[in-house]
Amino acid sequence: MTGTADSPRPGPRLARGALYLLVFASLVVMLFPIGWMISTSFKPGDEIFIPPPRWIPRTPTLDGYRVAFSHAVLVPLLNSLVVAAGSALLATGAGALCAYGVSRMRFRGRGALMAVMLATLGLPIPLLMLTLYVMFSRAGILDTYLGLILGHTAITLPVVVWMLKDFFDVLPQEVEEAAYIDGAGLLYTFWRIVLPMAAPGLAAAAIFVFVTSWNEFVFGLTFTSSSTMRPLPAAISLLFLGEFQYRWGDAMAVAVLVTLPVMALFVFFQRFFIQGITAGAVKS
Amino acid sequence: MSALFRSHRVASVAIFAPALLIAGALMIYPFLNGVVMAFTDATPTQREWAWVGVENFDYVLSDRTFWEVLTNSLVIVGLSVAIAAFCGLLLALLLNEGLAGTRLYRSLIFQGWVVPWITIAVLWGWLFNFDHGIVNHILVTLGIVDRPLNWLAGSVLAKVLVISGFVWRIIPFMMVMILAALQGVPSDLHEAARIDGAGYVQRLRFVTLPLVRSVIIVAALLQSVRLFQELTLPLVTTQGGPINATTTLSLYTYKLAFERWDFGLAAAVGSIWSGLLILISAFYVWIVERGAKQ
């Protein structure tokens, strides 16, 4: 494209400098909120209200992080961890089996199955929650990990099936075929041969589910009633609307705490996701 | 390969069971049951529900709040997606210039894609704080406004707050999608246009944009469907106010259901919302098919 590295006619140096300036400026604007969050999280309560605002705190403090690592936040954090891990396991497991079937077998309704899976992603979640609330309440699993895990599994499963179907499609099939011809059972082959080869795909799918569950807010708020079961986003919203109202330093430290784990996970798997979400774009 | 599965009849049906069960019981059934619920006076406190015909729809459609909420949703989601698509396009064009450090830049920006909505909600509350928020500080320092703006009090200002949060969150996705499409534009097309004397703007308008247009539309539609669901930011920062100015369809449905406990009404709003989604999807399919033909 215009002025790429191998372009026969590189633009004048000034224009290039201007482009770098633009890139830098856009980066500053985009990362500004995150930077301000981190900066505020290290400020003591009184300094936050002293104008003019400063990037580097005058007297940096870890008070905010002491709150972030207190009981009121760590219990919800643990809840989120359990729910996210449980959802990741369940959605990846169920999704991998289904995706493998769709990838390897030809049957009527195969396309329809995938289309329905995709369509469920758009269904209004508050509408689904009405029935789920009644179902879960009758089954006695409101305010339990199981209820949240089921909810988060449902909303992520379609993506997992799509991700892994694409992944299985390009996986070499010779070893599998040899196993079947030797008389190995389907589940045995799937468990011992397919899954190990698909490990990177499974990891990416599991991370997708984990991150989605970790970030999910409205199920967590509605399907739990006791503070000992509440996941982190719901707990933060209640703290934020209540006792955290004007304690911005503490609120920012908690916000950093909820953001950091998913960002760290994402750093390692970003390339995979970029390939995943852009594959469709390039095809169409 | 398919033939090999014939001797594993039971297992080859069984592997679909968990996913079908989860999707069926926790997505499809709740959706269908939700539509049925829209014709009842359902509340979670009563076990027995009575049919009320189209009463819920009657009420909703003649309620001014509903139309306000629908307009809000279209304005907030529509503007957010349009602005994010525009910014995403600009960033993608910039990154497609082959500057050094492009991949690092893309990675940094793309991190925004996983920032939890609750973080954005709490953070936006602080950035846009009336007395001490940095946004007001910057606006006043630059002389754009005389005195701090009360972002939570004005219906336009509150919408700006919500839209800016939505935009910030979806720009990374837009940028990555559009950049991928730009990189797929064959460079000989540009060469040909350049030899014919086309300038940058002309090449952008007649070569690049027509080729990436369908990707932009698809990405925008995907994000609109996603943003229609989003309620964390308005719920936590503005609580849908002032006077419903930032109440979107999802927040409205949520409030009807879990604050007023009127499941029948909530189901009616949810059903109308689903109808809208079907229209959007039909448009999406039409765009994709048209793109495939070209």
Side-chain angles (χ1 to χ4, degrees), chain B residues 15-26:
Chain B
I15 58 171
F16 293 101
L20 290 183
L21 204 66
I22 292 168
L26 301 174

Side-chain angles (χ1 to χ4, degrees), chain B residues 59-124:
Chain B
Y59 177 87
V60 167
L61 292 175
S62 59
D63 182 13
R64 264 191 47 203
T65 313
F66 170 77
W67 294 104
E68 217 180 319
V69 164
L70 184 64
T71 319
N72 287 342
S73 290
L74 294 172
V75 167
I76 291 175
V77 173
L79 277 178
S80 300
V81 170
I83 296 170
F86 182 72
C87 297
L89 175 65
L90 289 186
L91 289 181
L93 285 170
L94 203 57
L95 288 198
N96 200 34
E97 290 293 318
L99 302 172
T102 299
R103 287 181 55 172
L104 176 67
Y105 178 93
R106 188 181 69 170
S107 296
L108 278 173
I109 297 275
F110 201 44
Q111 283 293 320
W113 196 50
V114 288
V115 172
W117 281 103
I118 187 66
T119 300
I120 297 176
V122 176
L123 180 54
W124 253 241

Side-chain angles (χ1 to χ4, degrees), chain B residues 12-287:
Chain B
S12 59
V13 175
I15 58 171
F16 293 101
L20 290 183
L21 204 66
I22 292 168
L26 301 174
M27 299 283 275
I28 316 257
Y29 167 71
F31 169 65
L32 298 175
N33 191 53
V35 175
V36 171
M37 228 186 244
F39 298 94
T40 70
D41 64 353
T43 82
T45 47
Q46 280 176 288
R47 233 190 148 87
E48 298 296 319
W49 301 334
W51 294 101
V52 295
V54 292
E55 209 175 272
N56 288 323
F57 289 96
D58 255 357
Y59 177 87
V60 167
L61 292 175
S62 59
D63 182 13
R64 264 191 47 203
T65 313
F66 170 77
W67 294 104
E68 217 180 319
V69 164
L70 184 64
T71 319
N72 287 342
S73 290
L74 294 172
V75 167
I76 291 175
V77 173
L79 277 178
S80 300
V81 170
I83 296 170
F86 182 72
C87 297
L89 175 65
L90 289 186
L91 289 181
L93 285 170
L94 203 57
L95 288 198
N96 200 34
E97 290 293 318
L99 302 172
T102 299
R103 287 181 55 172
L104 176 67
Y105 178 93
R106 188 181 69 170
S107 296
L108 278 173
I109 297 275
F110 201 44
Q111 283 293 320
W113 196 50
V114 288
V115 172
W117 281 103
I118 187 66
T119 300
I120 297 176
V122 176
L123 180 54
W124 253 241
W126 171 225
L127 293 172
F128 287 85
N129 182 265
F130 176 52
D131 293 310
H132 307 285
I134 189 81
V135 173
N136 272 341
H137 178 78
I138 292 172
L139 291 178
V140 170
T141 310
L142 293 178
I144 296 171
V145 294
D146 299 332
R147 58 193 121 85
L149 298 169
N150 192 348
W151 294 92
L152 300 179
S155 69
V156 174
L157 288 179
K159 282 196 183 77
V160 171
L161 184 153
V162 172
I163 291 172
S164 69
F166 280 10
V167 167
W168 185 81
R169 169 64 197 249
I170 62 171
I171 281 181
F173 180 85
M174 292 292 181
M175 180 196 82
V176 169
M177 289 283 275
I178 298 171
L179 183 60
L182 286 177
Q183 286 168 344
V185 175
S187 55
D188 45 341
L189 280 180
H190 278 281
E191 277 317 306
R194 205 201 308 257
I195 290 162
D196 289 343
Y200 182 80
V201 175
Q202 279 172 307
R203 270 178 283 137
L204 185 63
R205 194 172 149 202
F206 296 110
V207 180
T208 313
L209 284 186
L211 286 169
V212 298
R213 196 183 53 198
S214 66
V215 169
I216 298 178
I217 294 174
V218 167
L221 286 172
L222 284 175
Q223 290 302 297
S224 333
V225 172
R226 179 69 195 79
L227 283 188
F228 262 102
Q229 305 265 24
E230 193 42 57
L231 50 76
T232 316
L233 179 60
L235 181 72
V236 174
T237 51
T238 62
Q239 283 100 55
I243 329 169
N244 290 328
T246 52
T247 304
T248 56
L249 269 178
S250 55
L251 186 53
Y252 185 55
T253 315
Y254 174 81
K255 283 182 164 181
L256 285 177
F258 297 103
E259 283 177 13
R260 279 171 60 175
W261 298 101
D262 194 332
F263 276 23
L265 270 190
V269 177
S271 303
I272 297 171
W273 173 4
S274 309
L276 267 174
L277 286 178
I278 291 170
L279 284 180
I280 295 178
S281 327
F283 183 62
Y284 172 85
V285 170
W286 181 69
I287 295 277

Side-chain angles (χ1 to χ4, degrees), chain A residues 114-272:
Chain A
M114 293 303 276
V116 168
M117 281 281 175
L118 191 63
T120 57
L121 279 181
L123 295 178
I125 288 176
L127 178 65
L128 305 182
M129 284 173 66
L130 304 172
T131 302
L132 290 176
Y133 187 87
V134 176
M135 275 169 74
F136 287 3
S137 138
R138 284 182 192 164
I141 55 169
L142 279 181
D143 208 26
T144 66
Y145 289 144
L146 181 61
L148 291 175
I149 290 175
L150 288 176
H152 290 171
T153 299
I155 56 173
T156 50
L157 183 71
V159 182
V160 171
V161 173
W162 271 89
M163 269 174 88
L164 289 180
K165 187 222 164 233
D166 284 347
F167 195 84
F168 288 137
D169 278 349
V170 295
L171 217 57
Q173 301 181 9
E174 289 79 15
V175 189
E176 250 173 274
E177 281 177 51
Y180 286 125
I181 289 163
D182 286 348
L186 196 159
L187 290 175
Y188 177 86
T189 311
F190 179 74
W191 184 252
R192 298 301 294 269
I193 294 165
V194 181
L195 281 192
M197 285 203 296
L202 294 173
I207 284 174
F208 167 78
V209 179
F210 188 95
V211 170
T212 308
S213 167
W214 181 269
N215 292 358
E216 202 283 326
F217 172 67
V218 75
F219 278 108
L221 187 66
T222 316
F223 290 172
T224 60
S225 48
S226 57
S227 58
T228 49
M229 289 310 297
R230 211 162 274 138
L232 197 47
I236 293 177
S237 81
L238 296 174
L239 283 172
F240 180 73
L241 295 173
E243 54 180 304
F244 273 40
Q245 190 108 49
Y246 299 104
R247 287 161 50 191
W248 293 108
D250 299 350
M252 291 305 114
V254 175
V256 170
L257 185 71
V258 67
T259 313
L260 223 54
V262 286
M263 274 203 169
L265 269 181
F266 197 55
V267 166
F268 296 107
F269 283 87
Q270 209 192 44
R271 189 184 303 177
F272 194 94

